[in-house]
Amino acid sequence: MPHLFRPLAAALLLAAGLAAAASAQETAAIASRVELHPIPSLTLSDAQFLTGDAAGATPVTVAGELRVAQGTGRLPVVVLMHGSGGIGPNIEMWSALFTARGISTFAIDGFTGRGLVSTSSDQARLGRLNLIVDIYRSLEILAKHPRVDPQKIVLIGFSRGGQAAFYASLARFHQTWNRSGIGFAAYVPFYADCATRYIDDLKPVAAPIRLIHGEADDYNPLRSCAAQAERLKAAGVDIAVTTYPGAHHGFDTPLNDAAVVTPQSQTVRDCTIEERAPGQLINTATGAVFSYTDACVKLGPQVGGHPQARAAAATAVVEFVTGVVRK
């Protein structure tokens, strides 16, 4: 081959190699099987949830999408719990990332079966803790599935789903609502609301908790989760907080790279809420039962993607989960 054409040939071979690698990665992210599962659940208030009053709850069927990764036998699974806007593009992104690693995903849709599209502008439409029931009911399905390793299931939640993922770790709630006979190997809440103190909230089950948060989040500010993490750490809990500078709420969305103000979205960023008796959530500023009409509830937080934080979180969280399920 003439010397002149050697650099061109080398470049073409490199490009072909990179294209083949990219194609292989894209293929690995395709599920070998997709199943849609009805999840018998309940719609109930926070007071009913906290007191275990299933008799006063309304039966409902929500849904879960199980994407079985390529591989054989029983595989690890990541349960994905959406936020106040329902299943969004970040759920699809995370599912592909885990599937490419040979980890199946189970995405819960807690809204459609309840006739909901979003609760962002009216969070009172669904109890703040209701998604925890859906999460535990999903465990009942996964515990019996022949392609699921029941000892290697990780829970990841986002915003309202992050709040559910965080508090789903509490032993008290497992004892009251989890009938699956199994638990989660780890909990990864993204930009959760940690503004509420519950009875026995320093007693989670024995599994690592990894809180993921943007430092610029004005929807669910970092400060409340950081404070709760310090309380849990002092109690001997395996917990850590990973933060990303400049990142706002929903920073992992893959469809945009900048935060925008959401004028009608409700945020409890200025609220402090405490369960002072079983089932009674008190606004500590007023001493009255908390309501979304309280003065501490504000509007207009910023929401949107942050490419650097998204990429860093994707690497860190996938590596953490892979480490947990490959033990």
Side-chain angles (χ1 to χ4, degrees):
M1 180 182 295
H3 179 74
L4 179 63
F5 294 105
R6 286 177 183 170
L8 176 60
L12 290 173
L13 286 171
L14 176 59
L18 291 174
S23 177
Q25 186 175 14
E26 291 172 1
T27 300
I30 297 173
S32 66
R33 178 178 175 82
V34 178
E35 300 175 354
L36 301 179
H37 289 267
I39 306 172
S41 191
L42 300 168
T43 298
L44 70 179
S45 68
D46 289 334
Q48 289 171 318
F49 178 90
L50 291 167
T51 58
D53 182 16
T58 302
V60 66
T61 299
V62 295
E65 181 190 64
L66 176 63
R67 300 182 66 83
V68 182
Q70 297 173 40
T72 59
R74 294 182 177 272
L75 299 174
V77 175
V78 169
V79 173
L80 299 167
M81 188 72 253
H82 65 75
S84 297
I87 292 182
N90 65 330
I91 299 294
E92 185 172 351
M93 179 194 76
W94 284 105
S95 183
L97 288 170
F98 286 115
T99 304
R101 289 290 190 99
I103 300 171
S104 302
T105 59
F106 189 79
I108 301 172
D109 177 3
F111 278 5
T112 304
R114 294 186 170 98
L116 298 172
V117 174
S118 173
T119 60
S120 297
S121 62
D122 185 4
Q123 296 288 3
R125 296 187 70 190
L126 186 67
R128 293 155 55 83
L129 301 170
N130 215 140
L131 297 181
I132 299 177
V133 179
D134 300 349
I135 288 168
Y136 290 157
R137 292 293 177 89
S138 75
L139 281 179
E140 296 180 24
I141 294 169
L142 297 174
K144 302 172 184 176
H145 199 287
R147 296 301 311 281
V148 173
D149 186 336
Q151 303 306 314
K152 296 182 178 180
I153 304 175
V154 173
L155 175 60
I156 301 180
F158 307 89
S159 193
R160 176 184 267 256
Q163 172 186 261
F166 186 38
Y167 293 116
S169 69
L170 296 186
R172 170 192 172 194
F173 297 161
H174 273 277
Q175 291 163 4
T176 304
W177 293 105
N178 184 4
R179 300 289 180 265
S180 69
I182 62 173
F184 291 101
Y187 298 81
V188 186
F190 271 71
Y191 36 86
D193 167 24
C194 307
T196 306
R197 299 287 179 262
Y198 294 100
I199 294 170
D200 289 335
D201 66 358
L202 297 182
K203 298 178 181 178
V205 295
I209 302 170
R210 297 294 182 266
L211 290 160
I212 312 296
H213 227 101
E215 293 181 9
D217 195 322
D218 64 350
Y219 199 133
N220 293 332
L222 170 62
R223 61 179 182 271
S224 62
C225 284
Q228 181 67 350
E230 287 302 314
R231 294 177 71 227
L232 286 162
K233 191 177 296 184
V237 175
D238 180 1
I239 187 169
V241 184
T242 300
T243 65
Y244 296 100
H248 287 87
H249 199 77
F251 67 81
D252 61 320
T253 179
L255 294 188
N256 63 66
D257 291 335
V260 297
V261 173
T262 54
Q264 300 305 314
S265 293
Q266 292 180 322
T267 164
V268 294
R269 64 190 176 209
D270 292 339
C271 301
T272 303
I273 306 163
E274 183 179 325
E275 185 188 13
R276 292 183 175 171
Q280 294 185 2
L281 295 178
I282 302 301
N283 180 337
T284 61
T286 65
V289 173
F290 170 78
S291 167
Y292 277 100
T293 61
D294 288 356
C296 66
V297 178
K298 306 298 183 182
L299 301 178
Q302 298 179 77
V303 177
H306 189 287
Q308 292 80 18
R310 179 173 61 243
T315 298
V317 172
V318 170
E319 288 183 356
F320 168 72
V321 170
T322 301
V324 168
V325 301
R326 300 300 185 204
K327 289 182 179 178

